[in-house]
Amino acid sequence: MRPLVFALSVLLSASAGAADFDARALRDAEQLRAGNERGTDAYAIVESLTTEVGPRMAGTPAYDRAVAWAQAKFKALGYDRVYLEPVSFPVWERRHESAEVLAPYPQRLLITALGGSVGTGGKVLEAEVVEFANLEALKAAPADSLKGKIAYISNRMERFKDGHGYGPAVSARGGGASEASKKGAVGYLLRSIGTDSARMPHTGTMRYAEGVTKIPAAALSNPDADLLSNMLRRGKPVTLRLDIDAGMNGTKTSYNVIGEIRGRSKPDEVVVIGGHLDSWDLGTGAIDDGAGVAITMSAGAMIGRLDRAPRRTIRVIAFANEEQGLFGGRAYADAHLAQVDAHQVGAESDFGAGRVYAFRAGTAPEAQPVIAKIGEMLAPLGIVYEPGRGGPGPDVGPLAGKGMPWAQLAQDGTDYFDYHHTANDTLDKIDTKAMDQQAAAYAVMAYLSAETDVDFGKSPPLTGEE
């Protein structure tokens, strides 16, 4: 028994030692954490982006200005290296959109075309509307039952702190138009995927299935969806007029913008943090995802101001065109697949500007003591370590799927879907102190991940339900 006890004690001591950082590293982490009280650059960065660039839909001149802005901002913040990596994608354009009820109760409706939608062919579309409770009900409709009509899904998204009501609702946006077309519909409407009661529709991307006739697709604001449902409840046929000019316009090559704080002893190993630089065109893209870009840019800059750089490189990425298909994240994964083992961890801020309340990670088991120690260092910020939960952000997801370890700093998204993809996504929704808390959290997490001697290994396989 004595050799077994000795071996076990050695193993436990090694595990405990792996979770320890030297005194200087812990002091540096505490200094970064103090940004929560001292203040950070995060709010000033998102204010700059929304004021000087504003909405920046991928493929537009505004996104080109955002690329130049990001390069200049990284340099102004003192990053050691700033560079671009190309990202190619199809370009979708919104030109105009309108809707109204013609009969029996004539009224204007507020809509927005869904990203990727075709238009009404240069003319107005007039047709009777048929309501469905959800996508499953639409799929169950008899073949040809919607011939010459407009399908409308009235399902309402539910509000949750972690935003998990989004998944069940958003499937109607992604594939609903093709399901309606299969039944003979000539147009498609859905209640906005959002939790607000403002008369502002929520846009978002959709996809057409192969071999299915493309029909125009748009979202109604929540109050207008209520209005339309109330009309239909009266039992009379309701006729709508849609006028949408939108569609694809070729392809474009743009860029992920990357800033690095170079590591002192393992510069070819990287900790990746970031957000997506593009936004939809309706608001100024403050919470989606100007906040994420600002939080991570600020966190990297805070690490760069320390007297000693971390062992590994901190790589901050402003990803291109997340909104219309994760093009920036996929391009990064393709370009760096051969170096996936050099990625210590990846984390993305893309859930608005609410405070971080939980820390989660997917790493090799032997790294868990270090992850727990990072959780301990984050606790004074009001952040709880939650082992065995969470998943990677959207743009780091493609490389996480190939084995890159991931971290998640879960934000309070209680009101995120009130503003998401709407004209109401503006700077006034952001609280300075919340931004400071998040930037401090990202700085602590990224710095300690880069500083440890422990390799985080491979992420557990992703199930698709994270």
Side-chain angles (χ1 to χ4, degrees):
M1 288 291 290
R2 195 168 294 171
L4 179 61
V5 170
F6 176 75
L8 182 59
S9 66
V10 169
L11 179 63
L12 290 173
S13 296
S15 177
D20 290 336
F21 295 89
D22 65 33
R24 180 168 181 174
L26 293 178
R27 286 197 303 271
D28 284 345
E30 289 170 354
Q31 180 181 334
L32 294 170
R33 192 174 65 201
N36 179 51
E37 299 298 331
R38 187 176 58 247
T40 72
D41 298 317
Y43 183 85
I45 293 170
V46 70
E47 187 276 337
S48 171
L49 177 58
T50 56
T51 302
E52 297 163 26
V53 180
R56 47 203 179 273
M57 192 160 73
T60 65
Y63 186 79
D64 297 337
R65 294 195 299 274
V67 168
W69 173 91
Q71 289 177 277
K73 190 62 68 176
F74 274 128
K75 291 174 182 176
L77 290 168
Y79 278 73
D80 299 321
R81 184 184 178 210
V82 180
Y83 57 103
L84 305 177
E85 291 188 348
V87 181
S88 297
F89 48 84
V91 175
W92 179 78
E93 294 180 343
R94 181 198 315 277
R95 291 177 279 273
H96 71 249
E97 55 206 11
S98 66
E100 60 182 308
V101 178
L102 296 178
Y105 312 109
Q107 293 195 48
R108 183 173 68 107
L109 300 175
L110 293 190
I111 66 165
T112 186
L114 299 180
S117 176
V118 298
T120 52
K123 57 186 178 182
V124 298
L125 168 64
E126 296 181 359
E128 183 182 344
V129 64
V130 179
E131 181 176 358
F132 296 91
N134 49 44
L135 182 61
E136 289 68 32
L138 172 59
K139 289 179 178 179
D144 294 327
S145 61
L146 296 179
K147 191 170 184 178
K149 298 182 179 179
I150 297 169
Y152 158 55
I153 290 182
S154 58
N155 180 59
R156 186 186 299 270
M157 179 184 167
E158 294 185 64
R159 183 189 302 273
F160 295 98
K161 181 178 182 178
D162 66 356
H164 74 261
Y166 186 65
V170 78
S171 59
R173 191 186 74 202
S178 288
E179 293 299 329
S181 179
K182 291 175 186 177
K183 311 295 183 180
V186 293
Y188 177 68
L189 293 175
L190 81 161
R191 178 188 293 274
S192 281
I193 311 303
T195 51
D196 61 304
S197 59
R199 203 176 188 190
M200 292 187 179
H202 298 236
T203 191
T205 199
M206 51 84 70
R207 294 284 184 272
Y208 293 108
E210 290 291 332
V212 176
T213 301
K214 297 178 180 180
I215 60 175
L220 287 158
S221 76
N222 273 307
D224 287 271
D226 291 339
L227 177 63
L228 182 57
S229 291
N230 287 340
M231 290 182 181
L232 289 162
R233 195 173 295 119
R234 281 160 167 73
K236 299 178 181 180
V238 175
T239 302
L240 300 185
R241 172 184 288 159
L242 298 180
D243 184 6
I244 297 173
D245 185 7
M248 308 308 295
N249 185 16
T251 60
K252 180 168 182 171
T253 296
S254 192
Y255 302 96
N256 289 332
V257 187
I258 302 174
E260 290 184 348
I261 303 298
R262 299 293 288 171
R264 71 177 187 275
S265 60
K266 296 182 177 182
D268 294 331
E269 296 183 15
V270 297
V271 168
V272 167
I273 58 176
H276 66 85
L277 185 57
D278 67 305
S279 75
W280 285 104
D281 51 327
L282 304 181
T284 61
I287 65 168
D288 188 20
D289 185 30
V293 169
I295 289 161
T296 53
M297 271 189 173
S298 178
M302 292 163 68
I303 295 169
R305 295 184 193 119
L306 295 173
D307 292 336
R308 182 181 69 168
R311 298 176 192 275
R312 297 175 181 83
T313 292
I314 305 296
R315 180 177 291 169
V316 182
I317 307 176
F319 290 99
N321 201 353
E322 183 271 348
E323 293 292 3
Q324 297 177 46
L326 302 180
F327 288 99
R330 296 182 194 279
Y332 181 81
D334 289 344
H336 295 271
L337 185 58
Q339 300 92 41
V340 64
D341 291 341
H343 286 71
Q344 172 80 333
V345 70
E348 182 177 3
S349 176
D350 184 15
F351 198 53
R355 290 176 180 268
V356 175
Y357 66 89
F359 169 57
R360 304 154 182 166
T363 68
E366 54 267 28
Q368 288 305 303
V370 177
I371 296 298
K373 182 63 177 180
I374 295 173
E376 181 183 321
M377 294 299 292
L378 290 170
L381 296 174
I383 298 170
V384 177
Y385 173 45
E386 296 183 344
R389 297 188 60 190
D395 280 308
V396 299
L399 202 56
K402 301 298 183 182
M404 178 183 70
W406 54 265
Q408 180 190 24
L409 291 166
Q411 296 166 261
D412 185 339
T414 303
D415 65 352
Y416 177 60
F417 290 104
D418 288 352
Y419 314 120
H420 180 253
H421 294 182
T422 74
N424 227 355
D425 179 1
T426 48
L427 184 66
D428 58 298
K429 312 308 183 302
I430 293 179
D431 174 68
T432 304
K433 294 305 297 178
M435 292 290 282
D436 290 339
Q437 186 254 11
Q438 293 174 85
Y442 267 90
V444 170
M445 184 278 297
Y447 169 74
L448 291 176
S449 297
E451 181 62 19
T452 179
D453 277 332
V454 176
D455 188 314
F456 285 1
K458 295 279 190 182
S459 70
L462 301 181
T463 65
E465 298 180 358
E466 289 83 8

